[in-house]
Amino acid sequence: MKKLLITFYLLLITFCAMAQSQDFKKAVAKYGNVSSLTATATRTVHKSGSTKDKVVAGSLQVKKDGKVAIVNGKDALIMNGNAFTMKKGPLKAKTNAATDTRYKTFHDVLEAIFNGGKTDLSKNADVKMAKSGSNVVLTITPTSTKKLMFSSFIITIDGKAQEMRSIRLNQKGGAYTEYVFSNYKLGATVDDKLFK
């Protein structure tokens, strides 16, 4: 009886993972045939103990082949293939997801979203996928032992609209940075200079 229960439990877990994977693929399917897109990206920065959040409007710009840029004023988060660049005013930090495990999963998830779910995320142990109403929620909890500024990343995809709705970067102590996306334009012109 115990073996039967264990087998049933494992089958249930496998079925749930498969269903979540199918939900994810459906939610991002329309990105599979899009070569470029733009959207409004509103960034909210919340600091622990602060009563007023800092909100800045900006843009999300995406091109095939792993190019993603979120720009808010003088700040930007840019992914160009495996290369990540974070700009904060005049300061710039670069890393490579191929060698920096702290950014590899984040890279893999963004790549999977914008290639229409063709990338298999089931091999990423630090990604949890869940359904919340019509939304698909991906939670990335980095397992790297290296110091990381963020304790987790939460990406919400609107399953009905088939659009990435938000990215939230959580820090220890309750602080976070959240990007909310709207006004998508598929096939919009995106300048390659942005990713250099």
Side-chain angles (χ1 to χ4, degrees):
M1 184 67 166
K2 189 174 179 181
K3 274 188 177 181
L4 184 62
L5 284 172
I6 291 171
T7 303
F8 176 74
Y9 179 70
L10 290 173
L11 284 171
L12 184 63
I13 290 172
T14 303
F15 175 76
C16 288
M18 285 172 50
Q20 288 173 356
S21 177
Q22 290 305 314
D23 288 333
F24 172 72
K25 286 180 181 179
K26 285 179 190 173
V28 298
K30 82 173 178 185
Y31 293 132
N33 297 318
V34 176
S35 60
S36 63
L37 65 86
T38 61
T40 300
T42 303
R43 182 187 68 193
T44 301
V45 176
H46 174 78
K47 294 190 177 181
S48 300
S50 176
T51 56
K52 188 166 178 165
D53 295 340
K54 185 175 180 183
V55 180
V56 179
S59 67
L60 165 69
Q61 300 184 54
V62 178
K63 283 189 91 169
K64 281 294 180 195
D65 302 322
K67 294 180 180 178
V68 179
I70 305 171
V71 181
N72 297 89
K74 294 181 180 178
D75 300 343
L77 173 61
I78 299 167
M79 182 177 97
N80 186 354
N82 282 318
F84 272 90
T85 304
M86 290 185 80
K87 295 180 182 177
K88 190 136 179 87
L91 304 174
K92 189 188 284 190
K94 293 186 176 191
T95 191
N96 191 309
T99 54
D100 190 339
T101 56
R102 298 175 299 171
Y103 289 87
K104 183 176 182 341
T105 303
F106 190 50
H107 167 273
D108 291 350
V109 170
L110 288 178
E111 183 75 21
I113 289 169
F114 293 116
N115 70 23
K118 293 173 190 158
T119 304
D120 182 10
L121 294 175
S122 66
K123 295 173 183 153
N124 295 74
D126 44 1
V127 178
K128 301 294 178 235
M129 203 176 297
K131 191 113 189 303
S132 175
S134 64
N135 293 341
V136 176
V137 180
L138 294 99
T139 302
I140 306 166
T141 308
T143 55
S144 172
T145 54
K146 291 182 182 178
K147 189 174 180 183
L148 189 62
M149 188 173 160
F150 302 103
S151 57
S152 67
F153 304 85
I154 299 172
I155 299 174
T156 303
I157 301 161
D158 182 331
K160 283 185 181 173
Q162 291 185 308
E163 293 175 349
M164 183 173 69
R165 193 57 59 218
S166 65
I167 298 176
R168 181 171 165 143
L169 303 98
N170 292 317
Q171 294 175 266
K172 290 177 181 173
Y176 64 83
T177 301
E178 184 171 41
Y179 299 91
V180 176
F181 308 107
S182 59
N183 304 318
Y184 278 85
K185 291 182 177 64
L186 306 182
T189 302
V190 176
D191 191 346
D192 271 323
K193 289 179 185 174
L194 183 63
F195 305 98
K196 293 182 180 178

